[in-house]
Amino acid sequence: MKLFKLLSLAAIAGLLVTGSMTSRNHHLLFSDSAPSGILSLELTRSNSIQYRIFSEWNRPENYVFERDWTNPADSVTMDSTVSPGKKIKYSEPGEKIRGVDAVERQTHADYWFILFYVFGLILLFWHYYRNVYPSKDRITSRQFWLFSGTVIAIGILDLVENYYILESVDLFKRLNPEDPSPDRLSDFVKSGVGAYVFYPALFKFILLFITLYSFGWSISIFKRLTGWLSGLSDNFLFGLRLGWMFRIVLIVLFVLFGFLIFSDQGQDLLITINTSFWGTIIFLFSISVLATINWYLPKLYAGGFTDLMLTVPKGFVMAGKNSVNYARLLGALTFLIPAVGILKTMQQYHMPYLLDDVPVMVILLVALVGYKQMLKYNTLDSFFAPRGVFSALRYMMVMVLFFLLMIAFYFIRDMEVEQYGRLSYLSLDLFLLSFAFLITTTYRTKISFVQNIEVAPVVLIVGLLLAVVFILFNIPPILFALIAKFRFFTLSIVIAALICYALIFSYLLVLGKRTKVQWITLLLLIGFLVSYVKISDFHKVNTVVAKGEEPVALSTHIRSWLEHRRGEIATYQAEHNKPYPVFFLNSYGGGIRASVWATMVVSELDSLVLASRGSKQISDDFQHHVFSFSGASGGTIGFSLLTADRVKAKDSISSGRFYPNNTKVYEYDYLTANVVGVFGRDLFMTMIGGNWYDDRSRLQERGFEGILKDKFGMDYDITLREAWKKDNMDLPLLFSNTYDINTGKKGIVAPVLLEKDDFPSCVFIQDLMRAKKLDLPLSAAAFLSARFPYVCPTGKFDEKHHFTDGGTLENSGAETSRQVIAVFERVLAEDEFAGLNVTINVLSISNSILSVEYPTQDKNLYEVVAPALGILETISSNALKADTINKVMAARQKMKGWSYNKIQPTREMIAGNWPVLPLGWQISDHALEVMKKSIKDQRAKIENVLLVF
């Protein structure tokens, strides 16, 4: 019986894995002649229709592009005589997978699927032949051999069908080496290969239907169906009741699951912690504590205990084996989630591993189903408790083996795959820990050195220690001291926060049972009402009292700038016989990756211009020719960092701090301040409606200010008026774009005054500050644009103006840049500046990875989610629209010498893998290396920008 269950598990796992492989790129196999995909091909006897199906599958627009991840080369081509604004072609190594290629691959995978379904059906027949059931519900020996033989015959027919499908695909490809041609139809028809596919498929389906129907009739399946559905309903209701009972633990796991599976920032953090020995140890320790908490707390809930110390009496056993098993599974699942999260990361980074073609959700499901079946049928007893007697020796041998393997994994590296090593082995560590946890919790009461230990104090004390660590990280001096030295705490702090809240809500749950008051519901309701009713200044934008001269109008600043440059413009034209180039830069949003890419691109242009002029003075670099920066979200942060570096340039010498090969600024932890705010201090203050300390946005600003000041001597807290003094004409204007949720208008922070006619339907934050005699620090002005919803709070200026992320409305900053150009052009046309020969040049910096475009899979848009998806798509479409308008505008003014360029990073192989670029506020060394290499690969485009000099 136990052997049967093990074999059944193997069959189910094999079906799930091979089934996912046979459905890969299945969307390519649906067409007018094949409405049912590959099934339409199998049941088509006509050779001409089969040819038409292949032709439709092979149409030019029906393909996916499969990147050759073993090839590190990207290709950016450009003619040496290219003119500014000309589109540069980009290509990646790889191949187009069309429908006929997809069916070929699916058919190869189907050979394994046939093996598992034949094996699985025979196991099913054997179960109803040998198992103890009433005689009327069993099948006879004759029926067993008949059904099994028929299934084997079905498998053979399936193999024959697959063989001829591959033959027909091969024939079609030989007849049509390029695009399908009707002229080849007659040759294909003559082969008669369609019938060789049709008849095996037809007989296969007929035999399969007869076999399954006969088998179902033999075991009275129709009578059983009601019982099965009733049992399914009972199990579903039981699951709901259990889920509600264990809801605190389930919510914790859902948060962990979302952060590690769906968040590229979470995946990049897994790379970061894996580069550090202590980061790995702290992570494994914290996840082990969380797993133990998730196993222990269900006992507390199920027992209905009211001890405020949250202790479960020694010897307590949960009622019902299913409840006990689910508690153990919740603990094991805590290890499995980061384990498959790492596999997801490896897929994203294109690190090869066994079964990397299988979706990680299938792997998670197989592991969970396997563990559940082991617990349900006591499969572990066959090894650890043979003949009903627990073997401590076998248990110790397995634990020691696991421990030795985990140590060995640490020292094993595959330098061709993982430069920093062991990411795949960290996943194996977690799988081993999940299995070891399952074994230990199953036999805990039988292990001599554990059975006498009071579990509750140990679990709760360790959990409370990690909760205290999370609370301590909410104290700014401790937080800033640690993030300035290490950047591997973030993920462990997230786990510590989950432990903290699991314990807090568990305490409230126990307190509610003791006092007959629903404290969790009551506190959440009070928190909601307080936050709704009370007007709080907790998320108020950080402003300071204005000092110095008031800002001037944009047009006035342009006049001063042109007057200041008058002599330089004339000299430049005389020496180079070219107009004086003036640049207007815009940068897309995208968190820290946008910031890194913006600073790298501009600094690379700085270095090239300085090298060409043999100078180190900032008056000779590229930024000297930049009139304005306009950014959204992370793009604004990048521009503001360049501003902070430039405004304090010592002796007007370029620092080179943001040159591509110098990434020290970004090798710090700027994310944990947000994390402790989201999970800790901000949540508490929001519920009480207070304003006792800095919110998470201000905490993040302080984190940047402190690191930049202490490590690099940059004054990121300098005010706008101080930075853009009247005599500081070498500092590009910074336009920080944000979004006012009260009015639905774009908000602009700028060091100059703007006119409504030039920037229609905008909120001018400089005007709001002047009215109250306030000023903004550079950090606050920049982060007013980078307030991604929920991650960062909406910034309050007053009751009538609350600002959120600039990318909400338009994520490129291109619209504001175009409006600045319009004012600049109008002033330039004034009689006073008629003799100045100046060209306008637009540079757009996008941080999305440049890739080959190919048709995307059609998706079913449900009525419920379609409007929300449409609204979200407006963010990218508005950015593309604004950027495209600038491109068209530059093309129309080509005769005046205008230019438009756009620079994006490329996919890059780093130490054998392909890192992703995270959207959060911490970035791994892998991702930084991608951007460094991308700068080199984009040299042609960068030199294209410099052609105007």
Side-chain angles (χ1 to χ4, degrees), residues 205-241:
F205 287 120
I206 291 174
L207 285 176
L208 184 61
F209 174 78
I210 293 174
T211 302
L212 293 179
Y213 184 85
S214 301
F215 172 70
W217 185 269
S218 300
I219 64 171
S220 305
I221 190 171
F222 299 107
K223 294 180 180 179
R224 289 172 174 268
L225 190 59
T226 303
W228 287 342
L229 291 176
S230 177
L232 183 63
S233 300
D234 291 341
N235 287 332
F236 180 72
L237 290 174
F238 174 77
L240 286 179
R241 288 195 297 269

Side-chain angles (χ1 to χ4, degrees), residues 296 299-300 303 305 307 310-317 444 454 456:
Y296 173 80
K299 297 175 179 291
L300 182 71
F305 299 110
D307 183 359
L310 304 185
T311 56
V312 175
K314 183 180 178 182
F316 169 74
V317 178
R444 179 178 60 87
E454 287 281 355

Side-chain angles (χ1 to χ4, degrees), residues 842-913:
V842 180
L843 175 58
S844 180
I845 303 174
S846 172
N847 58 86
S848 59
I849 291 181
L850 183 65
S851 60
V852 173
E853 295 182 357
Y854 61 86
T856 57
Q857 179 180 354
D858 292 334
K859 295 181 179 179
N860 184 18
L861 290 180
Y862 295 98
E863 185 175 355
V864 176
V865 300
L869 291 175
I871 292 171
L872 290 174
E873 284 300 317
T874 60
I875 296 174
S876 57
S877 63
N878 286 343
L880 181 61
K881 175 184 176 182
D883 211 358
T884 304
I885 290 174
N886 287 0
K887 180 179 179 179
V888 173
M889 180 180 66
R892 290 178 177 175
Q893 300 292 338
K894 190 175 181 179
M895 297 302 295
K896 293 184 180 180
W898 285 34
S899 72
Y900 168 90
N901 289 278
K902 187 173 184 177
I903 301 179
Q904 297 175 253
T906 54
R907 289 190 176 95
E908 293 295 339
M909 179 182 283
I910 304 298
N913 58 75

Side-chain angles (χ1 to χ4, degrees), residues 446-583:
K446 299 178 182 179
I447 303 172
S448 57
F449 60 89
V450 174
Q451 60 186 2
N452 295 323
I453 297 177
E454 287 281 355
V455 174
V458 176
V459 172
L460 293 174
I461 288 173
V462 177
L464 284 171
L465 286 176
L466 280 183
V468 169
V469 169
F470 166 69
I471 293 171
L472 290 176
F473 261 80
N474 279 266
I475 302 173
I478 297 175
L479 170 69
F480 295 142
L482 290 173
I483 65 175
K485 293 182 179 180
F486 311 103
R487 56 172 173 159
F488 53 70
F489 281 115
T490 309
L491 190 52
S492 296
I493 290 301
V494 170
I495 296 171
L498 295 176
I499 292 172
C500 182
Y501 280 106
L503 293 176
I504 289 174
F505 281 102
S506 296
Y507 181 85
L508 292 174
L509 189 66
V510 170
L511 182 64
K513 291 179 180 179
R514 189 182 184 105
T515 61
K516 307 300 181 182
V517 177
Q518 297 292 330
W519 288 106
I520 296 177
T521 304
L522 182 62
L523 290 177
L524 290 177
L525 182 60
I526 292 174
F528 173 77
L529 290 175
V530 169
S531 61
Y532 179 78
V533 174
K534 188 171 182 179
I535 298 176
S536 171
D537 290 336
F538 181 51
H539 294 306
K540 197 161 188 177
V541 178
N542 177 42
T543 56
V544 295
V545 176
K547 296 180 181 179
E549 299 180 358
E550 288 200 357
V552 299
L554 173 60
S555 56
T556 303
H557 178 83
I558 294 173
R559 293 186 185 96
S560 300
W561 191 87
L562 289 173
E563 189 62 43
H564 179 76
R565 299 283 178 103
R566 185 184 292 274
E568 182 181 338
I569 293 171
T571 302
Y572 185 91
Q573 183 178 5
E575 291 180 356
H576 298 86
N577 196 28
K578 286 183 178 181
Y580 185 83
V582 179
F583 282 84

